[in-house]
Amino acid sequence: MTTTSFHMDATATTVVEILSGVLETTPDALVEEPLLGAYDWDSVAILEALVALEGAFGVEIDLQALHHQLTAGDLIELVRATLTEHLGAS
Amino acid sequence: MGGEDTIMNATQLIEAVRSAVAGGRAPDPAVRLALAVERDPTLLRRVGAALRSLDPEASGLRAVRLSVLGTGTLGALPDLLRATLVSSGLAPRIQVGEYGRFEMELAVGAFQEERPDAVLCMLSQEFFLPAVPQGMPVKEVVAHIETRLDELCGLLAGAAERTSATLILNTVPLSRSVRDSFIAVRDRALLAQAWHRLNADLLGLAATEPQLAVADLAGLLALEAATARDRRLHSYADLPYTDAALLLLAQETRRVLQAQCGLSRKVLALDADNTLWGGVLGEDGAHGVKLGGLYPGKAYKELQQTACGLREQGVVLVLASKNDASLVEEMLCGHPDAVLRPDTFSVLAANWDPKAGNLSRAADSLGLGIDSFVFMDDSPYEREHVASELPQVAVVPADGDPAHLIERLLQQGWFDVPELTATDHQRADLYRSRALRKDYSGAFSSSEDYLRALGITLTPALATPFTTARIAQLAARTNQFNLTGVRFDEIATGEMLDSADHLVASFSVSDRFGDEGIVGAAWMACEAHEWRVLNLVLSCRVLGRGVELAITDWLFDRAAEAGAARVVASFVLSAKNSVAADTWERAGMTPLSEEEDGTRTFSVELAGRPPVAPAWIALPSTDDQENSL
């Protein structure tokens, strides 16, 4: 499933900020064009995003799932789901 | 990790770097110092990415060529190197070896094309271990490790013959997935022994080969909360190290290159009160400050020992303390636990001048650049003052628990040198004889802008039953800025509150660093024609900012409002209040008489009196004041 529009809460804002840093673009541009394939979304970028997101949210994110996301919105959903799961577990 | 000293947040820092690079310049000294103390690898790799387009030759920094080879994927290492090297004044041109060709690159010297100043070889366990050590007899694994070390030494010796570049290696941590695959306790011990020997032998190379430097990554990782390896990243991309581990390696590389390029610092300027000892010398006296003995005095003594150790290795020490010179001298000479003695310092600047000026003058008299200074002080006010006036000075915070002071001073490696020489050991003495010890005098000049930016607010208020306790405490404790030495206690102060011919006022000071609360008090005798200052005290925490002049203006205005024509005041000299001796002259008063015991009396006619308060001190608006009165 591909998420193309998303609600900009605090989680989304942080994800977009981190992601735009990794993709060397701006948060506004990323919201405008959320398709990750439009940027250099290669394995190096995926790992940089993984490390930065895990650092910012303090949770471990599923690397395989991260690898399969297509848009910034998908990524936000993945982080939200991870956070929910983490809260449930603890 | 700059704590409250972090002037810039992450966004500001990265923006400052980007805009400098866009302008074709290196980031300015303040930004570079903020980078030097930054510990967040995520931020630093973004900074490093932003620095990729900086032209080293045009940057204004020392250009350095660095080749980076690795036994796995380098990941963020080049960007982290850019960020850390730029922080210490080096502008690197980084050439990265091809993935999977570590041995080939070293063997044929491909790294040499760019004629690097240094070659960083990032080593990881895979280089030394068999492909599948799991299930192998441990002796065979140990033999394999030894063979691989020999092969590495051969490669390095060959490389060293073909280049004059420094070869930088690292010690290597051994992962749990390998350790724990050996289930026999004895086997694990043998493997660990072989591994420690490997790292010890790597370190030994640096001792015998002048061209080699070895960063003890394994040792540092054991001290940090950072994980060495993320199995996912290794599995996915052959990344042997996490960004946190790579940052340690980048920082150690920075220390080697910084020392080699002569960009290390040479001078340590130390505050005294609450830095070299606990407490305030002018208030507590040499017997009262905390130094030596049990904690916390022990922690301050250890800092002194550390500073002394630095001096033995050639670091020049400067004392930068707002104190009376004679008190400091007495403390350093006479305190049984003082490790630093007056002659340990090449320059003693114990006076009441702004510290930035003292540091500049110390640099002049030592013949050293201000960019070779590290300055350590517990006061955020003093630190920010120096940072804003002299942005090239590396400023180290000395507040918080004194037990942390040593690591905070040493962890950056500010003073690293490649090797100590005979001159290094003598340097402090050489500089001591070169610098004439002076007691600097002078007034605020270049500091005015800073003081203005500080946003100092003075709030005067008539004493109330709620504030008399604090006012009496100030009277009892204040020794330095205590103009007559009369110590009105709570009862005497309380009686004046109810008396029509007395006025007692408290003075609170706040600035952008926070609210100091009530720091001053005045006791006045109020007659119809003439008011007399019985005493005025001010905590030494706020001295040197002109607060006392805003106070005298306020007092004189109250007297004029009440219809008095003049105010009379006196100064009674004590052993500790010489810092305040000229207060009444500075307040615009005229000397009337001087008695034999040194007591001097002053007066001022209130009509047409020009105000003396400095422009950078604000008072709350009159409406607020009346409410508070």
Side-chain angles (χ1 to χ4, degrees):
Chain A
M1 189 196 74
T2 302
T3 314
T4 48
S5 66
F6 39 90
H7 172 58
M8 288 299 282
D9 58 1
T11 305
T13 306
T14 308
V15 173
V16 166
E17 214 162 84
I18 288 172
L19 211 51
S20 59
V22 171
L23 297 174
E24 292 176 10
T25 180
T26 62
D28 289 344
L30 185 61
V31 172
E32 185 72 18
E33 172 51 277
L35 196 63
L36 298 170
Y39 307 89
D40 277 341
W41 182 242
D42 56 10
S43 58
V44 173
I46 288 173
L47 288 183
E48 188 180 343
L50 177 83
V51 171
L53 290 169
E54 290 185 344
F57 291 102
V59 290
E60 182 167 323
I61 291 166
D62 187 329
L63 176 55
Q64 292 181 56
L66 182 68
H67 203 222
H68 292 120
Q69 308 308 315
L70 298 177
T71 68
D74 294 347
L75 255 167
I76 293 166
E77 285 311 316
L78 174 63
V79 171
R80 283 197 184 120
T82 308
L83 288 172
T84 311
E85 204 175 301
H86 183 76
L87 280 177
S90 65
Chain B
M1 224 185 63
E4 84 282 12
D5 286 68
T6 308
I7 304 158
M8 277 168 277
N9 65 29
T11 316
Q12 289 168 324
L13 194 57
I14 198 149
E15 276 316 309
V17 171
R18 282 201 183 120
S19 75
V21 173
R25 297 171 286 111
D28 65 35
V31 176
R32 288 191 278 114
L33 284 169
L35 285 178
V37 296
E38 184 54 58
R39 285 277 180 279
D40 176 7
T42 305
L43 172 60
L44 286 172
R45 72 182 281 180
R46 286 181 61 195
V47 168
L51 286 167
R52 282 178 206 162
S53 48
L54 179 69
D55 177 4
E57 273 73 32
S59 64
L61 303 182
R62 173 79 64 89
V64 62
R65 291 164 188 269
L66 179 63
S67 281
V68 186
L69 315 176
T71 58
T73 306
L74 299 175
L77 183 58
D79 284 337
L80 291 170
L81 283 164
R82 273 185 201 95
T84 50
L85 290 172
V86 164
S87 79
S88 69
L90 291 159
R93 185 180 295 285
I94 296 181
Q95 186 203 7
V96 172
E98 243 177 272
Y99 173 73
R101 288 172 56 87
F102 176 75
E103 286 173 73
M104 187 65 82
E105 299 248 7
L106 267 189
V108 303
F111 60 85
Q112 252 185 294
E113 281 164 22
E114 300 279 326
R115 301 208 291 148
D117 301 297
V119 182
L120 172 60
C121 303
M122 180 192 76
L123 302 173
S124 61
Q125 65 178 28
E126 284 68 30
F127 181 87
F128 300 98
L129 288 169
V132 186
Q134 293 86 352
M136 276 174 71
V138 75
K139 278 186 182 157
E140 284 178 28
V141 177
V142 169
H144 188 94
I145 293 169
E146 286 165 356
T147 307
R148 290 298 278 161
L149 176 63
D150 285 345
E151 286 170 7
L152 178 68
C153 289
L155 286 170
L156 290 170
E161 271 176 25
R162 285 190 300 273
T163 176
S164 59
T166 303
L167 304 173
I168 306 173
L169 321 173
N170 58 280
T171 57
V172 182
L174 180 64
S175 70
R176 294 201 72 121
S177 58
V178 173
R179 285 172 194 270
D180 292 342
S181 68
F182 293 85
I183 60 172
V185 176
R186 197 175 302 273
D187 283 354
R188 277 205 304 279
L190 283 172
L191 178 65
Q193 182 196 22
W195 203 261
H196 281 293
R197 202 161 48 218
L198 163 68
N199 282 330
D201 288 347
L202 286 171
L203 290 163
L205 293 175
T208 52
E209 299 290 330
Q211 211 176 323
L212 280 179
V214 183
D216 187 17
L217 179 63
L220 290 170
L221 279 164
L223 301 171
E224 303 275 326
T227 323
R229 172 170 290 196
D230 184 326
R231 290 289 309 158
R232 295 170 304 162
L233 306 194
H234 184 243
S235 204
Y236 181 95
D238 194 22
L239 272 164
Y241 296 115
T242 60
D243 286 0
L246 290 175
L247 178 57
L248 290 173
L249 181 56
Q251 283 165 339
E252 289 303 296
T253 305
R254 186 264 296 165
R255 289 176 69 162
V256 171
L257 293 177
Q258 162 201 311
Q260 219 163 54
C261 295
L263 290 176
S264 288
R265 310 239 162 192
K266 298 178 181 66
V267 183
L268 172 58
L270 291 156
D271 167 49
D273 288 337
N274 285 315
T275 297
L276 290 182
W277 49 75
V280 177
L281 188 56
E283 297 294 327
D284 306 325
H287 298 285
V289 299
K290 299 183 189 81
L291 178 63
L294 300 173
Y295 171 92
K298 187 180 175 186
Y300 289 106
K301 184 170 182 176
E302 284 167 351
L303 178 69
Q304 291 206 13
Q305 287 163 333
T306 300
C308 198
L310 289 173
R311 182 186 185 275
E312 293 300 314
Q313 298 172 84
V315 175
V316 173
L317 300 186
V318 169
L319 187 78
S321 165
K322 280 192 176 159
N323 252 315
D324 283 343
S326 56
L327 273 183
V328 171
E329 188 112 16
E330 189 189 315
M331 169 74 194
L332 295 176
C333 291
H335 198 288
D337 283 302
V339 180
L340 301 172
R341 300 292 179 181
D343 60 3
T344 329
F345 294 96
S346 298
V347 174
L348 275 179
N351 55 43
W352 295 92
D353 292 350
K355 294 199 181 183
N358 278 333
L359 295 186
S360 297
R361 281 184 289 263
D364 284 346
S365 63
L366 292 167
L368 291 167
I370 196 72
D371 56 359
S372 64
F373 274 58
V374 173
F375 169 62
M376 192 171 194
D377 200 307
D378 67 297
S379 152
Y381 167 85
E382 299 293 355
R383 291 199 302 270
E384 181 136 355
H385 168 69
V386 168
S388 70
E389 301 270 316
L390 304 169
Q392 309 91 328
V393 173
V395 178
V396 178
D399 44 11
D401 197 304
H404 295 311
L405 296 186
I406 296 176
E407 289 202 358
R408 217 178 285 153
L409 173 61
L410 297 179
Q411 67 185 357
Q412 298 296 330
W414 295 118
F415 306 106
D416 283 3
V417 292
E419 212 163 345
L420 289 180
T421 63
T423 321
D424 288 317
H425 292 291
Q426 296 160 3
R427 184 181 296 128
D429 289 318
L430 293 175
Y431 277 109
R432 185 178 156 68
S433 51
R434 197 194 292 184
L436 292 173
R437 281 171 56 204
K438 295 177 204 166
D439 283 326
Y440 300 121
S441 63
F444 289 116
S445 47
S446 60
S447 300
E448 284 200 14
D449 286 345
Y450 171 70
L451 286 162
R452 202 161 276 135
L454 198 56
I456 302 171
T457 301
L458 171 75
T459 308
L462 293 183
T464 70
F466 296 102
T467 55
T468 43
R470 170 62 182 152
I471 291 169
Q473 187 188 45
L474 275 171
R477 286 202 190 162
T478 307
N479 297 317
Q480 299 183 59
F481 197 102
N482 186 332
L483 297 189
T484 64
V486 183
R487 300 184 191 276
F488 296 103
D489 62 15
E490 201 168 346
I491 295 167
T493 303
E495 281 169 359
M496 288 188 207
L497 252 58
D498 301 321
S499 142
D501 49 10
H502 285 92
L503 178 148
V504 182
S506 68
F507 302 95
S508 309
V509 169
S510 63
D511 61 30
R512 44 180 291 227
F513 295 112
D515 192 347
E516 299 270 5
I518 295 178
V519 290
W523 294 259
M524 312 284 288
C526 316
E527 287 166 26
H529 191 64
E530 179 181 291
W531 281 27
R532 171 176 291 271
V533 184
L534 300 174
N535 200 4
L536 172 60
V537 300
L538 189 60
S539 161
C540 61
R541 279 184 290 169
V542 296
L543 296 190
R545 307 179 204 183
V547 170
E548 61 280 13
L549 300 182
I551 289 176
T552 54
D553 265 3
W554 184 85
L555 289 172
F556 296 167
D557 288 349
R558 298 291 79 71
E561 270 174 24
R566 95 170 55 81
V567 173
V568 179
S570 57
F571 177 77
V572 181
L573 187 68
S574 74
K576 287 182 175 173
N577 69 354
S578 62
V579 62
D582 60 352
T583 304
W584 295 125
E585 278 114 322
R586 287 168 57 233
M589 299 187 91
T590 316
L592 279 185
S593 63
E594 176 159 1
E595 289 169 45
E596 274 182 29
D597 63 357
T599 299
R600 291 185 296 148
T601 308
F602 301 83
S603 81
V604 63
E605 297 298 323
L606 296 174
R609 177 193 69 90
V612 293
W616 56 79
I617 298 180
L619 268 75
S621 71
T622 322
D623 289 349
D624 296 345
Q625 250 184 66
E626 274 166 6
N627 290 340
S628 74
L629 287 185

